[in-house]
C-alpha cells in the first residue's frame, strides 16, 4: 500500500502525482483537476462533506483532500494527515479545484482493475491526462526502492533518529542477503 489512505483513493493519487511530476506542475499552475473513477469512489469518497475534512480520519477517506494534498505538497504520506496539514491554507485552497464523477465503463472493470482517469487543466489552458488501472504498490505496479525508502522514512522518522533509521533500513532492505537472522 503506497499511501496511508482509503484504498479507492490510490489510483487517482497515483495518476495525479505522475502528471504533476511529468509536467513539472505546482499547485498554483492548476486551474482544475477532473477525476473519473468507479461509482463508490465518486459517491462515498467525494460527497460534499469530503471537501471540508477536519480530522485525520475524515481526510484520509476524502478523495478531494488526498488530491489536494498531492497538489499542494507533491506527496501523500502520513505527514499530510497531521492537523497542521489539514488546516494548511495552501492545501485547503486546492480542494475546490477537484471535481470527481463516476464513470460507468470503469465500474464494469472493477474489481479486476481499479481504473481512473485524471485530467489536469492548467491556468495557462493546457490539459494533461493520465489513466491508471492499478494503484502504485499493487503487484502489477510495485513500488520502486526509492518509493519504499520515502515511505519507510515517513513512517519511521517520528520514532527514530536518522542514524538508527539508516541502520534499520539497511537491515530490512538487505534481509535476503543474510545467511542467518540472529
Amino acid at each position: 500500500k503506497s499511501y496511508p489512505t482509503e484504498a479507492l483513493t490510490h489510483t487517482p493519487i497515483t495518476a495525479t502525482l505522475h502528471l504533476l511530476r511529468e509536467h513539472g506542475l505546482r499547485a498554483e499552475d492548476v486551474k482544475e483537476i477532473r477525476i473519473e473513477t468507479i461509482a463508490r469512489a465518486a459517491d462515498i469518497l467525494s460527497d460534499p462533506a469530503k471537501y471540508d475534512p477536519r480530522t485525520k480520519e475524515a481526510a484520509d477517506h476524502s478523495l478531494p483532500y488526498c488530491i489536494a494534498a498531492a497538489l499542494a505538497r507533491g506527496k501523500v504520506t502520513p505527514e499530510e494527515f497531521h492537523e497542521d496539514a489539514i488546516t494548511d491554507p495552501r492545501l485547503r485552497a486546492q480542494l475546490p479545484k477537484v471535481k470527481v464523477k463516476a464513470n460507468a465503463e470503469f465500474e464494469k472493470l472493477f474489481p479486476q482493475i481499479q481504473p481512473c482517469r485524471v485530467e489536469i487543466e492548467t491556468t495557462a489552458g493546457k490539459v494533461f491526462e493520465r489513466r491508471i488501472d492499478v494503484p502504485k504498490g499493487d503487484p502489477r505496479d510495485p513500488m520502486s526502492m526509492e518509493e519504499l525508502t520515502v515511505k519507510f522514512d515517513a513512517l519511521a522518522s517520528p520514532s527514530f533518529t536518522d542514524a538508527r533509521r539508516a541502520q534499520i533500513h539497511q537491515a530490512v532492505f538487505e534481509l535476503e542477503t543474510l545467511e542467518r537472522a540472529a
Side-chain angles (χ1 to χ4, degrees), residues 25-31 71-72 90 94 97 122-124:
L25 300 173
R26 298 171 307 117
E28 293 75 21
D29 301 325
V30 175
K31 176 182 177 184
L71 284 170
R90 182 170 181 264
Q94 309 316 307
K97 296 177 182 181
T122 69
T123 55

Side-chain angles (χ1 to χ4, degrees), residues 131-152:
R131 176 175 164 168
I132 297 285
D133 288 333
V134 296
K136 179 53 89 172
D138 181 281
R140 295 166 285 184
D141 187 13
M143 294 173 70
S144 68
M145 187 56 69
E146 180 183 341
E147 290 164 332
L148 287 169
T149 298
V150 168
K151 181 176 180 178
F152 173 80

Side-chain angles (χ1 to χ4, degrees), residues 6-61:
E6 198 283 332
L8 295 177
T9 66
H10 289 212
T11 51
I13 293 169
T14 301
T16 298
L17 289 171
H18 178 85
L19 287 169
L20 294 174
R21 291 178 184 137
E22 180 180 15
H23 300 287
L25 300 173
R26 298 171 307 117
E28 293 75 21
D29 301 325
V30 175
K31 176 182 177 184
E32 188 171 89
I33 183 161
R34 296 178 285 275
I35 299 169
E36 291 180 47
T37 186
I38 62 170
R40 58 200 99 170
D43 297 343
I44 298 168
L45 302 175
S46 302
D47 68 59
K50 299 296 195 275
Y51 282 84
D52 189 26
R54 296 294 173 173
T55 66
K56 176 203 173 300
E57 293 74 20
D60 66 19
H61 281 71

Side-chain angles (χ1 to χ4, degrees), residues 88-109:
D88 175 24
R90 182 170 181 264
L91 191 155
R92 294 193 73 80
Q94 309 316 307
L95 285 160
K97 296 177 182 181
V98 181
K99 311 295 184 210
V100 182
K101 71 177 184 176
N103 179 313
E105 294 303 312
F106 289 172
E107 194 68 31
K108 295 174 189 174
L109 302 171

